[in-house]
Amino acid sequence: SVPAASETTDLSHLINKLLAADKADHKYVEFDFLINGQFLRMPLVTHMEMENISTEEVVEIEYVEKYMAPQPEECIFHDDWISSVQATEEWILTGCYDQTARIWSLEGKSIMTIAGHTEVVKDVAWVKQDSLLCLLLSASMDQTVLLWEWNVEKNKVKALHCCRGHAGSVDSIAVDCTRTKFCSGSWDKMLKIWSAVPTDEEDEMEEAANRPRKKQKTEQLGLTRTPLATLSGHTEAVSSVLWSDAEEICSASWDHTIKLWDAETGDLKSTLTGNKVFNSVSYSPLCRRLASGSTDRHIRLWDPRSKDGSLVLLSLTSHTGWVTSVKWSPTHEHQLISGSLDNIVKLWDTRSCKAPLYDLAAHEDKVLCVDWTEAGLLLSGGADNKLYCYRYPATASDVGA
Amino acid sequence: PCPALTPLPSAPLQDIRNTVGNIPMEWYQDFPHIGYNLEGKRIYKPIRNKDELDMFLEKMENPDYWRTVQDKMTGADIKLTDEQVDLVHRLQKGQFGDVHFNPYEPAVDFFTHEVMIHPVTNRPADKRSFIPSLIEKEKVSKLVHAIKMGWIKPRKPKDDTPTYYDLWAHEDPNSILGRHKMHVPAPKMKLPGHEESYNPPPEYLLSEEEKLAWEQQEPAERKLNFVPQQYRCLRAVPAYSRFIHERFERCLDLYLCPRQRKMRVNVDPEDLIPKLPKPRDLQPFPTTQALVYRGHTSLVRCLSISPSGQWLVSGSDDCTVRFWEVCTARCMKNLPVGGVVKSVAWNPNPTICLVAICVEQSVLLVNPCLGDKLLYGATDQLLESYVAPEEERVQPVQWVMATMEEHSKGVRLVIQHSKAVKQVTWHGKGDYFASVVSDNSNMQVLIHQTSKRWSQNPFRKSKGLVQCVLFHPIRPYFFVATQRYVRVYNLLKQELTKKLMTNCKWVSSMAIHPGGDNIICGSYDSKLAWFDLDLSTRPYQLLRHHKKALRSVAFHKHYPLFASGSDDGTVIVCHGMVYNDLLQNPLLVPVKVLKGHVLTLDLGVLDVLFHPTQPWVFSSGADGTVRLYT
């Protein structure tokens, strides 16, 4: 039994003493404590009162090593607002409001600036990475998605394909796990699936004759590519798309719904209905949950498999502005980060839904995009033209009982 | 005997002292002696053998008689010396006994009001003045001890209990109230009329037939229980014969009067107010400020939004028009127009990408080149496909093609008016638009057709200063708001169909419900009038929620919301539900006051606008910002 008024530090001391008694070479470790999957953030007795746990019963307290704070690493300066970021083990790809996409090394060195769009670049994505050739995508407000080939050795980019078909700004793109297809969501309420495999042939535009300006065609970069399939069903702009599975697309929209589509047949599988505009959605294959950021202050977690539609499992509340982007940890099933218009990036653990684990308050203006790489790098870009990188050590699972 | 002894007898003679003390000497009146000397021997009274004559002779002859006094204690006569006489004189005059005492010594003004630079004494302060006094300390410690022991009560609590008592404290309140409740006032007596007068007007006097009829009636059936009579003067009136009878009847009235109370209906005034739903149940509506669109350097007068809700356009006093991306507050375009922008209007037709901008005396039609390339390309084509008619028509305005430089900025057409333009509004189809000119003539309102580049003046006469105009969203109606009235014209029949009285002093703005049957008017006297066009020409409700003048009102396209922006810097969002059922009146509930704008130059919010698809409201303010509330 432990004193009811004890807090995490007291419990932490207790565990450390026990461990020190076991092993002579034990070093002091800070712990966090979980009661029925909820982080202990206040004295034990108040927590139990809040959660309606009887003091008569035996309460199991789980302890985990306390997560270290993310360490700031780099601050990469851009010329304009950063609309999107995606990083791999070696490179960071950002989309910028100055109509370019940029490739940076992890150390913050500018490697490549990809210019070609005639409007703001809204989203970027890596398709394939080799030591020699990389394929990447950029979606823009000029209604096209460009497929680029980047020769790493020569450090040259070439626009391979220009994906035409959207009638509005393309706000979001997502590449599937086979790296042969990608999906794009646009302001024109449509989702389109495209092939991501570079070819030498040019697709015929169906209504090429109707185009008002033939000039544009000659000006354009790369070969025209048309969509493999079009998924329509949203009644408002699509703000975010992702592949939740090899054959399943998830899209979030301004019409207050998240829709799940079968990529093969193009059918609508299910609809999750919220009551606010969704800005961003993220899926974690580890915990099989969707996290959505919307135009209120909450991050909501959804179970995409639930049939009864609009069931929010959990809402994480601490932001004071719109949540513009959310991203699950690729390695940890409970953790995610979120960026918001209140200039703060927050690192969350779903076991503590009232308060985030850490606030990363470095931005001086709206945060527009966040990313989390498998190597444990947190990235956030925003309207202050800066991309911040944080190193977040992935803690080994060390759960006691 | 011996000469040395001779003075001795004289000495005791001289020193005759009486030892009786301070007693009334009358006590010795009847004795031969007058007291006792130091040795206890009697002192005998001197032999008084002098009679009145001797006394008189001595008074006359003895020159020292005036200074001879009798010693009461010994009865001996004493002759006063000169010094003693002087002393007596001085005392009689009220002077001091001592000759040498001077009561009027010159005064030395030791302490003066003047502040001296040197101290009175230059003595250094005593050591004891630095050392706390032991005695005082002891005294204080004694007091402290006494307080601690409770011997001394510091600040004894005042006894507040009043010395008087409440006489009626123990009386049952119900009995008193009951007594008051049951009070029934006595029935009032009828006041005397003209017929009771001693000299009634002739029409009150009974004629012979009437008198006969009166006499034949039963006493209970008579209208009057007396016959009016006329007397010459008041003195001639005889004693009232029915006095006892009448008093008796009055007593009967009091005794028999129904002791019954009239029951008043007991209604709580709160219950009479119609129940309004709680704002919480009326969601969604904008609640918090989400984004601030910064960039303008002067007051932002007007806002408009693209039909898709992706782009926002704002016009400002800094002579620029800015185009914003709604979801990120990014300024996509900044169009300098070289004049104060009074009004902007985005074409409501989603297939046309065109913005009308009022700058001084002209209306600019601008293609912002935002959104779908096909759409804005098609818009340009549409504008270019104009073919000028063969014969020149007389128009109240001039349509001018934009110059190359202007064209590159997006301006396509300039419609030049003769006076400053203050408002522009599109028809729902997106081909016609109306502009309001600040003028007093009948040229205040003009309707333009974009595709034919043709303008017309719909009114022959001016009906007052036009504040704003509006097209009906569905039917061919046209609303013209003057200072106090809103006139509804049928454009097909070309006639006035309705005239709405706003009950306001000066209408500032007007908005129409998307259903087309309700309009709201904001006014400079801080009222918002809601009109139900089917109901009446007077306001269905007049809302006075703002503290200062209203600048702008707006309806939402889909949600039952309307908003008003005011000089007090707030936007008030109200729920305005319109029912299809004609019997049910619209339900208006204020749901939220949105604050955020900083008051600048005594101006707050200048324009409000709803997002076309989301329950979001934009407001532009005098502080140069546009704010989005979600």
Side-chain angles (χ1 to χ4, degrees), chain B residues 408-449:
Chain B
S408 63
K409 287 196 289 185
V411 182
R412 298 292 180 259
L413 282 170
V414 181
I415 301 126
Q416 286 169 348
H417 292 64
S418 51
K419 294 266 174 66
V421 189
K422 59 181 180 184
Q423 195 218 344
V424 64
T425 182
W426 285 95
H427 182 256
K429 294 263 172 58
D431 193 16
Y432 289 94
F433 66 93
S435 62
V436 181
V437 178
S438 355
D439 193 0
N440 280 325
S441 67
N442 62 333
M443 298 278 282
Q444 287 187 82
V445 181
L446 296 169
I447 296 181
H448 313 271
Q449 190 177 10

Side-chain angles (χ1 to χ4, degrees), chain A residues 88-244:
Chain A
T88 60
E89 277 71 32
E90 292 163 83
W91 298 296
I92 304 167
L93 178 60
T94 59
C96 190
Y97 267 74
D98 61 359
Q99 308 178 357
T100 61
R102 285 156 193 266
I103 302 172
W104 308 81
S105 71
L106 287 188
E107 290 79 41
K109 216 167 69 186
S110 176
I111 292 174
M112 193 69 218
T113 303
I114 305 164
H117 281 293
T118 56
E119 270 291 352
V120 169
V121 175
K122 290 290 269 190
D123 201 6
V124 288
W126 292 99
V127 180
K128 222 183 267 181
Q129 270 189 303
D130 278 320
S131 51
L132 293 176
L133 281 178
C134 288
L135 283 178
L136 47 101
L137 287 165
S138 64
S140 159
M141 225 181 243
D142 63 6
Q143 308 170 16
T144 60
V145 180
L146 286 176
L147 178 66
W148 303 88
E149 186 187 60
W150 176 43
N151 194 323
V152 182
E153 277 192 337
K154 292 181 187 163
N155 197 14
K156 273 188 183 162
V157 285
K158 199 173 110 193
L160 293 180
H161 287 284
C162 176
C163 306
R164 301 180 161 280
H166 276 299
S169 128
V170 186
D171 288 342
S172 174
I173 43 176
V175 184
D176 82 330
C177 55
T178 61
R179 306 273 149 192
T180 54
K181 280 186 288 186
F182 70 93
C183 178
S184 65
S186 156
W187 183 270
D188 64 0
K189 308 163 192 176
M190 299 293 175
L191 290 162
K192 287 184 195 282
I193 302 171
W194 316 74
S195 163
V197 184
T199 50
D200 294 336
E201 292 156 30
E202 180 167 5
D203 294 342
E204 265 306 305
M205 288 294 284
E206 290 90 352
E207 67 261 281
N210 297 341
R211 292 194 66 77
R213 287 188 183 176
K214 291 236 167 174
K215 276 186 282 175
Q216 277 192 351
K217 213 164 185 187
T218 50
E219 279 170 9
Q220 88 177 48
L221 295 151
L223 306 166
T224 304
R225 172 161 285 185
T226 51
L228 298 176
T230 299
L231 312 176
S232 68
H234 280 297
T235 57
E236 289 279 336
V238 179
S239 55
S240 178
V241 291
L242 57 88
W243 294 78
S244 54

Side-chain angles (χ1 to χ4, degrees), chain A residues 80-81 97 118-120 122 141-143 167 169 187 212-213 216 236 254 256 277 295 322 341 366 368, chain B residues 290-291 308-311 325-330 332 371-374 380-381 559 611 613-614 616 628 630:
Chain A
D80 211 335
W81 294 12
Y97 267 74
T118 56
E119 270 291 352
V120 169
K122 290 290 269 190
M141 225 181 243
D142 63 6
Q143 308 170 16
S169 128
W187 183 270
R213 287 188 183 176
Q216 277 192 351
E236 289 279 336
W254 277 39
H256 306 184
V277 165
T295 58
W322 288 9
L341 291 189
K366 301 177 274 284
L368 298 178
Chain B
L291 282 168
S308 66
Q310 195 179 9
W311 315 106
E325 189 184 19
V326 166
C327 57
T328 55
R330 165 91 182 181
M332 302 303 289
D372 194 352
K373 275 180 193 159
L374 282 173
D380 276 351
Q381 275 189 326
Y559 290 96
H611 192 274
T613 55
Q614 305 295 338
W616 300 348
L628 168 65
T630 62

Side-chain angles (χ1 to χ4, degrees), chain B residues 231-529:
Chain B
Y231 299 96
R232 190 175 40 82
C233 62
L234 203 52
R235 257 186 304 148
V237 179
Y240 188 39
S241 57
R242 296 187 66 251
F243 178 71
I244 301 286
H245 184 73
E246 206 177 73
R247 287 293 93 194
F248 173 71
E249 289 212 321
R250 171 69 181 161
C251 289
L252 270 188
D253 276 356
L254 291 180
Y255 161 60
L256 291 173
C257 88
R259 299 275 156 174
Q260 203 183 6
R261 292 171 45 94
K262 262 187 214 162
M263 288 305 288
R264 277 221 200 112
V265 187
N266 208 0
V267 182
D268 189 7
E270 293 286 312
D271 295 342
L272 297 175
I273 298 172
K275 283 275 168 292
L276 286 181
K278 282 187 187 138
R280 205 162 5 102
D281 308 330
L282 300 173
Q283 281 189 335
F285 55 83
T287 52
T288 48
Q289 178 182 308
L291 282 168
V292 184
Y293 302 75
R294 290 179 205 279
H296 280 297
T297 53
S298 185
L299 30 146
V300 187
R301 281 200 190 268
C302 45
L303 290 173
S304 188
I305 192 160
S306 70
S308 66
Q310 195 179 9
W311 315 106
L312 178 75
V313 59
S314 62
S316 162
D317 269 12
D318 61 4
C319 306
T320 60
V321 171
R322 280 175 188 262
F323 294 86
W324 309 87
E325 189 184 19
V326 166
C327 57
T328 55
R330 165 91 182 181
C331 179
M332 302 303 289
K333 255 180 199 192
N334 184 9
L335 177 69
V337 290
V340 170
V341 183
K342 285 279 171 61
S343 172
V344 290
W346 202 298
N347 194 320
N349 189 341
T351 60
I352 297 174
C353 189
L354 206 57
V355 180
I357 300 165
C358 286
V359 181
E360 286 170 355
Q361 298 197 358
S362 48
V363 174
L364 310 180
L365 292 182
V366 173
N367 187 348
C369 298
L370 290 168
D372 194 352
K373 275 180 193 159
L374 282 173
L375 277 186
Y376 66 74
T379 306
D380 276 351
Q381 275 189 326
L382 189 77
L383 289 177
E384 281 159 16
S385 66
Y386 165 75
V387 184
E390 283 135 29
E391 54 189 87
E392 195 75 12
R393 290 183 295 189
V394 181
Q395 294 203 48
V397 296
Q398 261 189 305
W399 290 70
V400 180
M401 287 286 282
T403 58
M404 280 309 283
E405 190 192 355
E406 284 174 334
H407 194 279
S408 63
K409 287 196 289 185
V411 182
R412 298 292 180 259
L413 282 170
V414 181
I415 301 126
Q416 286 169 348
H417 292 64
S418 51
K419 294 266 174 66
V421 189
K422 59 181 180 184
Q423 195 218 344
V424 64
T425 182
W426 285 95
H427 182 256
K429 294 263 172 58
D431 193 16
Y432 289 94
F433 66 93
S435 62
V436 181
V437 178
S438 355
D439 193 0
N440 280 325
S441 67
N442 62 333
M443 298 278 282
Q444 287 187 82
V445 181
L446 296 169
I447 296 181
H448 313 271
Q449 190 177 10
T450 318
S451 56
K452 292 187 179 160
R453 301 193 187 173
W454 159 245
S455 305
Q456 52 188 327
N457 175 16
F459 299 118
R460 242 172 283 136
K461 261 199 293 186
S462 159
K463 292 275 176 64
L465 201 58
V466 176
Q467 297 299 310
C468 52
V469 295
L470 203 62
F471 285 100
H472 192 284
I474 310 154
R475 285 189 282 276
Y477 292 148
F478 189 58
F479 297 83
V480 178
T482 52
Q483 280 184 17
R484 311 193 63 157
Y485 304 104
V486 177
R487 291 183 173 81
V488 188
Y489 295 93
N490 190 329
L491 290 175
L492 282 185
K493 293 183 189 164
Q494 306 211 334
E495 61 180 19
L496 178 72
T497 50
K498 240 173 220 176
K499 184 177 163 189
L500 308 174
M501 329 278 175
T502 58
N503 289 2
C504 305
K505 294 222 176 73
W506 196 313
V507 171
S508 63
S509 52
M510 178 170 59
I512 187 157
H513 188 267
D517 287 336
N518 296 275
I519 69 167
I520 49 175
C521 285
S523 78
Y524 288 119
D525 52 350
S526 61
K527 288 185 218 166
L528 189 148

